Amino acid sequence: MLARLFTEQFAFSKGDSVVVIGLGRFGGAVANSLMQLGHDVMGIDRDAEPVHEWADLLTHAVQADSTNAMTMRQLGVADFAHAIVGIGGDLAASLMTVMALTELEIPDIWVKAMTPQHGKIAERIGAHHIVYPEADMGERVAHLISGRMMDYIEFEDGFAIAKIHAPAATHDLTLAASAVREKFGVTVVGIKRAHEDFQHGKPNSIVRPGDLLIVSGPTKKVEAFAASGRRR
């Protein structure tokens, strides 16, 4: 699920090269999703077992020490547009890898952080984006269990995207007439009706009972809008 942060929501340009460092459960899921979306993916891990596991599934899979900038340069990592550090429990290795990527001047560095302190340090030494898998997943599951949302992703800047049941206030009205943006402060990105193709949200788009809406906006406002349409 969290792999979507790098694929659907923070949409890399199709064909962008991405290096994923740490091929555990998290890194492997991200690498696999990126491959399916047409990106060139190099996977790097210090252990041989995950490298062998992913060798036939990624563009390249290499066993190497990601904390060594010289090694990374020799592997051609400096030519990659994006780097994702998915190293788990080894804090030192994670941070030293970020330092190596910074030295290589990678323009877009993502880091899986286990604690807020880990994330803050990673940002200070050059990471551009921090992901907290356990915390993010916990909040996401809470929203899903509450019944307010069918799917939900929150970004680090207080912005969220969610799939929700269309609230009654939007039923049988165009988006312009229901004034969702003015009343709730969110944007209806798209509408999905049973047995029909997805349609982008336009002022003249009509919302019917039973429709699913893809909405985006500030997290609190998305939550409030979703709560107004909660099924009982």
Side-chain angles (χ1 to χ4, degrees):
M1 295 179 181
L2 286 169
R4 296 181 189 177
L5 287 171
F6 310 99
T7 55
E8 298 174 2
Q9 311 305 343
F10 288 104
F12 296 164
S13 298
K14 186 173 179 60
D16 272 2
S17 57
V18 186
V19 58
V20 178
I21 302 168
L23 294 174
R25 183 170 57 181
F26 177 83
V30 172
N32 185 56
S33 293
L34 290 169
M35 284 293 296
Q36 291 179 11
L37 289 173
H39 299 283
D40 291 324
V41 179
M42 173 186 281
I44 297 176
D45 201 287
R46 66 183 178 186
D47 296 326
E49 184 175 348
V51 171
H52 292 156
E53 179 182 346
W54 288 99
D56 296 330
L57 302 175
L58 305 180
T59 309
H60 302 286
V62 182
Q63 182 181 4
D65 179 6
S66 62
T67 68
N68 188 312
M70 181 65 72
T71 298
M72 300 282 271
R73 189 179 299 277
Q74 291 173 345
L75 291 173
V77 172
D79 297 327
F80 281 71
H82 310 276
I84 299 168
V85 181
I87 297 172
D90 192 335
L91 175 61
S94 173
L95 296 176
M96 290 178 67
T97 296
V98 175
M99 293 177 64
L101 294 170
T102 301
E103 184 176 331
L104 297 180
E105 299 183 343
I106 303 298
D108 190 36
I109 302 172
W110 298 73
V111 177
K112 168 191 172 182
M114 305 309 296
T115 65
Q117 292 80 5
H118 181 182
K120 289 178 181 178
I121 297 172
E123 283 185 318
R124 288 173 183 168
I125 61 179
H128 303 100
H129 306 280
I130 307 299
V131 179
Y132 298 96
E134 284 75 15
D136 291 346
M137 184 60 75
E139 185 165 353
R140 184 172 183 272
V141 169
H143 281 295
L144 301 183
I145 291 175
S146 73
R148 294 183 178 185
M149 305 182 192
M150 300 179 66
D151 207 347
Y152 168 87
I153 292 179
E154 182 178 4
F155 307 122
E156 71 250 30
D157 57 357
F159 184 87
I161 293 178
K163 178 168 69 176
I164 69 171
H165 297 286
T170 64
H171 291 178
D172 299 317
L173 296 171
T174 64
L175 292 179
S178 61
V180 170
R181 185 176 298 177
E182 292 78 8
K183 293 179 180 178
F184 294 93
V186 301
T187 298
V188 177
V189 178
I191 302 170
K192 182 65 177 72
R193 187 167 299 151
H195 311 301
E196 294 186 16
D197 292 336
F198 175 89
Q199 59 174 298
H200 293 285
K202 301 177 181 178
N204 62 349
S205 298
I206 299 176
V207 178
R208 302 298 186 191
D211 284 353
L212 300 178
L213 305 182
I214 307 299
V215 300
S216 66
T219 301
K220 295 300 182 184
K221 292 184 178 181
V222 169
E223 291 173 346
F225 184 58
S228 73
R230 180 178 179 180
R231 287 189 170 181
R232 301 187 182 279

